[in-house]
């Protein structure tokens, strides 16, 4: 199964992707996680990405495309993958298609998680992640256990200001990939408002449809 999760920042892509990959037994490939790891390691890629990310801007296409096309060639992705956060622009979608076609592969499904803009800032500002387990919490909606609170991470770009920029970028740059996949007949939509378990069930239902 080769699939993509699309949605605005704070839609729950990371949380849901982590659950879906268990269900479908495919690797979770998050462009944001890969870029954050590169920034932390201080690699050339990380140095290029850092400023763009902090401001809530997109990292240039050529940088991200190269990183993802290399990643999906790895043996663990031979039977499928869950892409989270990529593609985020039309050129990225076109480059992914060309690479898959060259490998005689194709995408099975692209799912958009829909959440109204008004909810996104609160979701992101309250978001915290556990560096030891990768679990994503929300201070109000999914509070972390007290004993791990001190080690939790709040992303640099989960401020109200950066989320506003990221949401605007989503509408300007990423939303145009939706008609692209609609035309290919592989686009599905899921309501991303509600209890995370219910949303997982909605996702599984449309993916298996
Ligand atoms: P995410 O974790 O998916 O919210 O991504 C965090 C940040 O990483 C984004 O705001 C961008 O700066 C950068 N990023 C992640 N994926 C991409 C992509 N496909 N294209 C460009 N920039 C990206």
């Amino acid at each position: 199964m080769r699939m993509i999760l699309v949605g605005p920042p704070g839609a729950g892509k990371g949380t849901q992707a982590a659950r879906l990959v268990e269900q479908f037994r495919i690797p979770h490939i998050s462009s944001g996680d890969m870029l954050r790891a590169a920034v932390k390691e201080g690699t050339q890629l990380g140095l290029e990405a850092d400023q763009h990310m902090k401001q809530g801007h997109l990292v240039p296409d050529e940088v991200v495309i190269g990183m993802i096309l290399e990643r999906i060639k790895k043996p663990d992705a031979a039977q499928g993958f869950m892409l989270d956060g990529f593609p985020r622009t039309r050129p990225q979608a076109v480059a992914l298609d060309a690479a898959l076609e060259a490998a005689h592969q194709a995408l099975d499904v692209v799912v958009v998680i829909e959440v109204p803009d008004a909810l996104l800032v609160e979701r992101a500002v309250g978001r915290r992640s556990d560096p030891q387990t990768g679990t994503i919490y929300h201070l109000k909606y999914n509070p972390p256990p007290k004993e791990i609170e001190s080690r939790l991470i709040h992303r640099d770009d989960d401020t109200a200001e950066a989320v506003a920029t990221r949401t605007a970028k989503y509408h300007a740059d990423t939303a145009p990939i939706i008609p692209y996949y609609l035309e290919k007949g592989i686009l599905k939509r899921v309501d991303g408002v509600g209890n995370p378990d219910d949303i997982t069930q909605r996702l599984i239902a449309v993916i298996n449809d």
Side-chain angles (χ1 to χ4, degrees):
M1 175 76 82
R2 295 183 178 85
M3 55 178 140
I4 299 179
L5 278 190
V6 181
K13 297 186 296 292
T15 300
Q16 294 299 334
R19 295 163 173 230
L20 293 171
V21 293
E22 271 188 30
Q23 173 88 15
F24 292 96
R25 299 179 176 280
I26 47 179
H28 174 194
I29 302 179
S30 157
S31 47
D33 284 351
M34 290 175 77
L35 291 167
R36 279 184 288 278
V39 170
K40 206 166 156 199
E41 284 164 26
T43 63
Q44 181 61 36
L45 174 72
L47 294 175
E48 271 186 73
D50 195 24
Q51 280 313 314
H52 299 287
M53 293 175 77
K54 275 206 184 107
Q55 293 168 3
H57 294 156
L58 293 184
V59 175
D61 279 340
E62 61 276 15
V63 175
V64 186
I65 290 170
M67 176 184 86
I68 294 292
L69 296 190
E70 279 305 307
R71 176 64 187 87
I72 62 174
K73 276 196 232 150
K74 298 242 164 88
D76 66 330
Q79 301 307 318
F81 49 73
M82 157 75 66
L83 285 177
D84 157 12
F86 181 97
R88 243 185 176 88
T89 64
R90 209 173 158 108
Q92 292 179 16
V94 172
L96 175 64
D97 265 351
L100 290 175
E101 208 176 301
H104 307 290
Q105 296 171 351
L107 291 169
D108 295 295
V109 62
V110 176
V111 189
V112 185
I113 305 181
E114 298 182 313
V115 176
D117 286 2
L119 300 183
L120 300 175
V121 169
E122 194 195 9
R123 281 191 179 199
V125 171
R127 173 156 64 180
R128 298 289 183 278
S129 65
D130 181 355
Q132 284 184 22
T133 64
T135 307
I136 302 169
Y137 296 96
H138 189 282
L139 295 178
K140 184 164 158 196
Y141 301 117
N142 179 21
K146 271 266 169 288
E147 61 274 19
I148 67 163
E149 249 174 26
S150 60
R151 71 173 189 232
L152 298 179
I153 290 176
H154 185 216
R155 280 169 46 171
D156 288 346
D157 60 352
D158 272 347
T159 60
E161 203 181 30
V163 173
T165 308
R166 289 160 65 204
T167 303
K169 292 266 165 225
Y170 175 78
H171 291 299
D173 299 333
T174 306
I177 71 174
I178 294 173
Y180 177 83
Y181 289 121
L182 192 62
E183 226 166 76
K184 291 182 180 288
I186 54 171
L187 189 88
K188 306 269 173 87
R189 296 172 194 272
V190 158
D191 178 4
V193 181
N195 175 310
D197 291 340
D198 294 341
I199 298 165
T200 307
Q201 291 315 313
R202 288 176 208 157
L203 284 161
I204 292 172
V206 300
I207 292 165
N208 284 331
D209 187 17

